[in-house]
């Protein structure tokens, strides 16, 4: 199955990615830097802890992982052939 | 268990160059790519600067890759109060000579991968490499997401910026956020006749002081640029994840800069917007300042049985973010090194040290990753000197780009070296300019395996 988003035209997301980004609640300080850099709005901070609301529009950029210098965000790739794709990159 | 001479991770811009050269040398070569089609996960500008074509692999220069538009000039606009206060159009060359060619990543990377496959490399798509096989400290292959072990005598990592594999294997560390620029990109359809009339064969930059709010503070991001394609335009802008010491609300700022630009700048409102229709919105990170920060610059680019190329090695050019030429150069050098190592039967770290030596001897790689021109734009934030601002724009994005200390020196050294190695270099460059231009005029390129 392939999804699209009206906010981000020209991109398709192939389903079946698995949970390729995770947050370690123990390490999270609730600083919200991940929220500040994610253009897809994948994160929210509630009660001083970050959580992933949805990876449905993730562009696999890794910005959340780079800014989380305490290593609370772990980042890997989605399964091969899944996740975002575009003709206009 | 399959065994290869060389496994290449990634079929973006660097991977196929390495794979083709290894396959041409008779090595059993496998490329592993996580996307379904090469290039469909590569988000980039993209104007590939001419030095990549002139001094990079001959098969690209001698081929007919799918380019979008020859780029013969750079137009620099300095914006003040929504108006164009100053235009620098000092950097231009007469067609068919160009400063670069614009392209979309998917067709271009597919074209590159097709050439590697034609030479005998095997391409496996929709396959994510999750681990390196490390035995006694040496890399001996890769493991895919299904747990499949693919063994090889050497692994070339051209997996791009995020580079989790060498981090996991303890060879490198994650880039620090100060080195990383987050880019937001838009793609607009625009009839070719309008692109021809409004832009011609130029690309255009809009520079401004921070109070204009159409881009990141100078030196902390790329100025808003318009790359021009055949019948589309491709604006983008970026901001570093750490700006003036902290993580700003980048996701909001990037959107705001572009909407402020479209709301205030007359060049957009009058000349561009009436003809442009939005077709794509995307983003990606780019490790632009990796070569300027000591902690990232000093990270290893090889290990036992392992060579790292392109963005994964931190070879993004610091002034413009043009990483494709360095991906090509380093992939070419990595392939040479792999071929020599396998011929000598020695893939040890000490043998592969020649990879780093050759990287250091390359006329462009170290020069471009250490180029402080963009970084130094920060000085204007303090001085607020408008003349200095214009001078720096001209020196950076204008004719000054060709100064000996900027790109002039490396280009001259590379040209001398190329001519010494092959007396036909100059005619092959002229042929390329003519053929690429004719291909563009006729809109006729090599067929892709995906057509
Ligand atoms: C917004 C933006 C604008 C840019 N503009 C320009 C420009 O105008 N000019 C220019 O020259 N350069 C530009 N660049 C830089 C250029 O895109 C890169 O330098 C270039 O793509 C690097 O090539 P590479 O082979 O190292 O990596 P990539 O081209 O990124 O290729 C990496 C490939 O590896 C695959 N991969 C990664 N990990 C795995 C894995 N574990 N398993 C299997 N496959 C994997 C990826 O899917 C991808 O296909 C820009 C970059 C960005 C982000
Ligand atoms: S950046 Fe890291 S530490 Fe900060 S809120 Fe996000 S997950 Fe938590
Ligand atoms: S990888 Fe990029 S798009 Fe995906 S969640 Fe992280 S910041 Fe957001």
């Amino acid at each position: 199955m392939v999804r699209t988003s009206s906010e981000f035209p020209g991109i398709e997301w192939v389903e079946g990615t698995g949970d390729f980004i995770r947050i370690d609640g123990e390490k999270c300080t609730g600083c919200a830097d991940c929220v500040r850099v994610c253009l897809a709005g994948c994160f929210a901070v509630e009660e001083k802890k970050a959580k992933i609301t949805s990876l449905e529009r993730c562009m696999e950029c890794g910005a959340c992982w780079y800014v989380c210098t305490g290593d609370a965000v772990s980042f890997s790739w989605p399964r091969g052939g899944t996740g975002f794709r575009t003709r206009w990159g | 268990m399959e065994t290869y001479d060389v496994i290449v991770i990634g079929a973006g811009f660097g991977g196929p160059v390495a794979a083709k050269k290894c396959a041409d040398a008779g090595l059993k070569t496998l490329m592993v790519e996580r996307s379904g089609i090469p290039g469909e996960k590569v988000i980039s500008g993209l104007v590939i600067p001419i030095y990549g074509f002139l001094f990079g692999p001959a098969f690209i220069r001698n081929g007919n890759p799918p380019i979008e538009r020859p780029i013969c000039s750079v137009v620099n606009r300095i914006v003040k109060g929504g108006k164009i206060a100053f235009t620098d159009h000092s950097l231009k060359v007469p067609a068919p000579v160009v400063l670069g060619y614009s392209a979309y990543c998917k067709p271009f990377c597919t074209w590159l991968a097709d050439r590697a496959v034609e030479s005998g490399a095997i391409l496996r798509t929709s396959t994510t490499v999750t681990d390196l096989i490390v035995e006694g400290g040496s890399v001996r292959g890769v493991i895919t997401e299904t747990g499949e072990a693919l063994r090889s005598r050497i692994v070339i990592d051209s997996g791009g910026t995020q580079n989790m594999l060498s981090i996991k294997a303890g060879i490198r560390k994650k880039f620090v956020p100060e080195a990383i620029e987050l880019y937001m990109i838009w793609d607009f359809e625009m009839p070719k006749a309008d692109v021809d009339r409004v832009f011609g064969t130029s690309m255009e930059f809009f520079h401004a002081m921070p109070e204009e709010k159409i881009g990141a503070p100078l030196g902390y991001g790329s100025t808003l640029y318009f790359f021009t394609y055949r019948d589309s335009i491709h604006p983008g802008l970026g901001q570093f994840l750490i700006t003036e010491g902290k993580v700003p609300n980048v996701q909001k700022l990037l959107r705001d800069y572009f909407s402020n630009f479209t709301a205030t700048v007359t060049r957009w409102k009058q000349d561009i917007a009436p003809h442009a229709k939005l077709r794509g919105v995307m983003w990606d990170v780019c490790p632009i300042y990796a070569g300027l920060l000591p902690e990232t610059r000093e990270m290893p680019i090889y290990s036992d049985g392992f060579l790292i190329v392109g963005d994964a090695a931190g070879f993004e050019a610091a002034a413009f973010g043009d990483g494709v030429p360095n991906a090509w150069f380093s992939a070419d050098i990595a392939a040479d090194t792999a071929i020599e190592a396998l011929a000598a039967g020695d893939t040890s770290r000490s043998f592969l040290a020649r990879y780093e030596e050759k990287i250091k001897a390359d006329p462009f790689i170290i020069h471009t990753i250490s180029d402080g021109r963009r970084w130094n734009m920060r000085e204007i934030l303090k001085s607020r000197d408008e003349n200095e601002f214009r001078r720096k724009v001209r020196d950076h994005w204008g004719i000054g780009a060709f100064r000996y200390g900027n790109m002039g020196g490396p280009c001259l050294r590379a040209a001398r070296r190329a001519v010494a190695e092959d007396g036909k270099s100059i005619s092959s460059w002229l042929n390329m300019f003519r053929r690429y231009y004719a291909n563009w005029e006729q809109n006729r390129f090599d067929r892709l395996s995906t057509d």
Side-chain angles (χ1 to χ4, degrees):
Chain A
M1 277 287 289
V2 170
R3 277 179 281 106
T4 55
S5 149
S6 55
E7 195 188 347
F8 305 119
I11 312 293
E12 294 178 329
W13 285 267
V14 180
E15 289 181 353
T17 56
D19 293 336
F20 57 102
I21 300 175
R22 292 204 188 96
I23 297 169
D24 180 339
E26 298 273 297
K27 290 184 181 163
C28 175
T29 62
C31 70
D33 284 345
C34 51
V35 180
R36 290 184 189 97
V37 300
C38 182
L39 277 151
C42 294
F43 296 85
V45 173
E46 280 170 17
E47 292 167 16
K48 300 206 171 131
K49 292 287 170 198
K51 64 167 202 179
I52 292 173
T53 48
S54 159
L55 290 175
E56 283 204 348
R57 300 185 306 169
C58 173
M59 209 79 72
E60 302 156 30
C61 70
C64 50
W65 176 64
Y66 284 114
V67 288
C68 188
T69 43
D71 280 337
V73 173
S74 61
F75 182 72
S76 57
W77 295 130
R79 288 195 188 98
T82 72
F84 91 94
R85 66 184 185 199
T86 182
R87 165 71 180 78
W88 311 119
Chain B
M1 194 180 292
E2 286 269 28
T3 300
Y4 298 89
D5 293 316
V6 183
I7 291 178
V8 175
I9 302 165
F13 280 95
V17 166
K20 176 175 163 54
K21 195 163 209 180
C22 291
D24 281 336
L27 300 177
K28 190 174 173 198
T29 307
L30 173 72
M31 270 183 292
V32 188
E33 169 54 53
R34 70 188 189 95
S35 60
I37 293 173
E40 70 180 358
K41 279 187 184 285
V42 183
I43 290 175
S44 186
L46 175 75
V47 172
I48 307 175
I50 193 59
Y51 67 91
F53 292 90
L54 297 179
F55 308 114
F59 80 90
I60 302 174
R61 183 161 64 241
N62 298 334
N64 304 289
I67 55 155
E68 283 285 328
R69 186 172 283 265
I71 303 298
C72 302
S73 76
V74 178
V75 175
N76 288 293
R77 314 274 190 196
I78 295 188
V79 178
K80 228 180 146 180
K83 304 238 162 21
I84 307 298
F86 178 74
T87 297
D88 176 290
H89 193 180
S90 58
L91 184 54
K92 49 183 156 198
V93 294
V97 178
V98 299
L99 301 171
Y101 298 101
S102 58
Y104 282 112
C105 297
K106 185 179 172 184
F108 206 106
C109 293
T110 298
W111 182 87
L112 290 171
D114 285 351
R115 301 289 80 74
V117 169
E118 217 170 58
S119 291
I122 299 161
L123 170 63
R124 248 176 86 169
T125 52
S126 299
T127 306
T128 302
V129 174
T130 50
D131 273 299
L132 302 174
I133 300 175
V134 184
E135 287 171 359
S138 292
V139 176
R140 289 282 171 257
V142 303
I143 298 181
T144 73
E145 59 209 312
T146 59
E148 186 185 7
L150 299 165
R151 299 186 70 86
S152 64
R153 294 157 72 198
I154 242 174
V155 172
I156 297 177
D157 184 355
S158 41
T161 302
Q162 290 81 357
N163 193 16
M164 281 96 73
L165 296 166
S166 56
I167 297 170
K168 231 171 159 180
I171 298 166
R172 284 174 70 89
K173 295 203 174 76
K174 151 168 115 165
F175 289 122
V176 291
E178 287 82 352
I180 299 282
E181 182 169 7
L182 178 59
Y183 274 95
M184 190 165 186
I185 317 285
W186 294 262
D187 189 77
F188 290 85
E189 285 177 85
M190 186 161 167
K192 178 173 177 299
D194 291 318
V195 185
D196 289 347
R197 185 176 45 79
V198 176
F199 295 99
T201 52
S202 62
M203 62 189 196
E204 200 157 321
F205 288 90
F206 292 85
H207 312 274
M209 293 285 195
E211 57 273 19
E212 295 291 326
K213 295 191 166 37
I214 61 166
L218 296 169
Y220 290 101
S222 88
T223 305
L224 176 61
Y225 60 78
F226 279 79
F227 287 169
T228 51
Y229 289 9
R230 170 170 288 277
D231 44 18
S232 54
I233 53 170
H234 206 75
L237 49 76
Q239 174 147 354
F240 281 81
L241 296 179
I242 306 274
T243 301
E244 297 176 316
K246 62 175 203 301
V247 178
N249 196 348
V250 192
Q251 59 87 17
K252 178 172 185 305
L253 287 167
L254 293 176
R255 290 176 163 99
D256 288 352
Y257 297 146
F258 196 63
S259 60
N260 290 340
F261 174 82
T262 56
T264 58
V265 176
T266 43
R267 168 81 170 142
W268 166 264
K269 289 194 284 187
Q270 287 173 7
D271 302 341
I272 307 170
H275 314 287
K277 187 167 158 256
L278 184 66
R279 164 168 80 179
V281 180
M282 65 213 93
W283 62 90
D284 200 1
V285 298
C286 205
I288 307 264
Y289 290 160
L292 293 174
L293 297 163
E295 59 269 53
T296 22
R297 187 192 176 93
E298 304 305 330
M299 286 196 282
I301 56 170
Y302 67 99
S303 179
D304 278 286
F306 192 55
L307 299 166
I308 312 174
V309 310
D311 281 5
F315 291 157
E316 191 67 54
F320 285 106
D322 40 327
V324 170
N326 285 351
W328 288 347
F329 303 147
S330 57
D332 209 45
I333 297 171
D336 284 338
T337 311
I339 294 163
E340 290 165 14
L342 295 183
D346 183 357
T347 61
S348 68
R349 236 184 95 74
S350 60
F351 191 95
L352 297 185
R354 61 180 65 191
Y355 174 60
E356 184 162 310
E357 281 160 28
K358 288 181 191 167
I359 292 287
K360 287 188 171 153
D362 181 87
F364 294 100
I365 298 174
I366 302 299
H367 180 89
T368 52
I369 70 171
S370 339
D371 187 334
R373 278 178 291 165
R374 164 111 72 95
W375 177 289
N376 293 337
M377 293 297 280
R378 294 174 186 189
E379 291 159 16
I380 315 265
L381 295 174
K382 287 186 221 124
S383 75
R384 311 279 312 172
D385 181 333
E386 291 198 15
N387 289 329
E388 177 72 359
F389 186 16
R390 291 177 187 189
R391 198 186 60 70
K392 277 206 151 81
V393 164
R394 193 182 169 86
D395 186 52
H396 186 163
W397 291 272
I399 188 71
F402 278 144
R403 270 200 309 114
Y404 192 80
N406 291 336
M407 290 307 282
C411 285
L412 270 179
R413 284 193 290 280
R416 247 186 256 133
R417 187 159 107 172
V419 171
E421 277 168 16
D422 178 3
K424 296 206 185 79
S425 292
I426 294 173
S427 66
S428 100
W429 296 332
L430 296 176
N431 281 338
M432 181 199 76
F433 283 126
R434 278 195 293 263
R435 201 180 56 265
Y436 271 42
Y437 202 81
N439 287 352
W440 181 72
E441 284 187 314
Q442 294 157 21
N443 198 11
R444 252 200 358 223
F445 306 98
D446 290 337
R447 273 181 66 87
L448 301 177
S449 57
T450 47
D451 281 347

